[in-house]
Amino acid sequence: QLQLVESGGGLVQPGGSLKLSCAASAFALDYYAIGWFRQAPGKEREGVSCINNSGGNTNYADSVKGRFTISRDNAKRTVYLQMSSLKPEDTAVYFCAADPRGLYRSSCLNHQEYRYWGQGTQVTVSS
């Protein structure tokens, strides 16, 4: 059974940077596509970014394009989300999720595409 653990969240000032990590328990992470999602209080979970199993295809929500970068290191069984130029509206709990189908899909920012989820890490952007 795949387990995912997010880390790297915290409190940062607007304009700052933060790098999140999603560590997987699976022996071979390259079977899985990975998505990053976030949820603010009272709001629906929204897709932030996603990456296919090999790392060759990525997608981003319009709200984070040019500021966030998703990457993966399958040997380390870890997926990263580098966040820059952070804004207060980026404040949320950030989750990573895994899709064992692995291949890129245009719907990869839809949370219903994913079977496995981490517990989330809090990101707060405030002065």
Side-chain angles (χ1 to χ4, degrees):
Q1 185 76 6
L2 178 66
Q3 292 183 319
L4 303 172
V5 179
E6 303 93 337
S7 62
L11 175 64
V12 297
Q13 294 185 338
S17 298
L18 204 61
K19 189 173 185 177
L20 305 183
S21 297
C22 174
S25 64
F27 176 77
L29 185 61
D30 57 356
Y31 285 116
Y32 302 93
I34 300 294
W36 281 100
F37 297 81
R38 65 187 182 187
Q39 188 165 23
K43 296 186 177 181
E44 295 183 358
R45 188 166 299 187
E46 63 173 328
V48 175
S49 185
C50 48
I51 188 167
N52 73 324
N53 53 2
S54 69
N57 288 290
T58 60
N59 196 17
Y60 299 90
D62 289 341
S63 59
V64 307
K65 286 180 179 178
R67 300 188 298 119
F68 290 12
T69 301
I70 191 170
S71 62
R72 66 190 299 159
D73 186 336
N74 289 336
K76 295 182 178 180
R77 298 185 295 184
T78 304
V79 177
Y80 305 97
L81 184 68
Q82 175 66 57
M83 306 184 295
S84 300
S85 301
L86 284 163
K87 305 174 181 179
E89 51 263 44
D90 295 318
T91 296
V93 177
Y94 283 71
F95 302 87
C96 64
D99 176 3
R101 294 173 292 180
L103 300 180
Y104 174 80
R105 295 173 304 283
S106 60
S107 58
C108 65
L109 295 179
N110 182 348
H111 67 88
Q112 298 186 58
E113 295 285 341
Y114 297 86
R115 293 183 60 185
Y116 305 103
W117 291 82
Q119 294 300 116
T121 185
Q122 177 71 47
V123 173
T124 302
V125 184
S126 177
S127 60

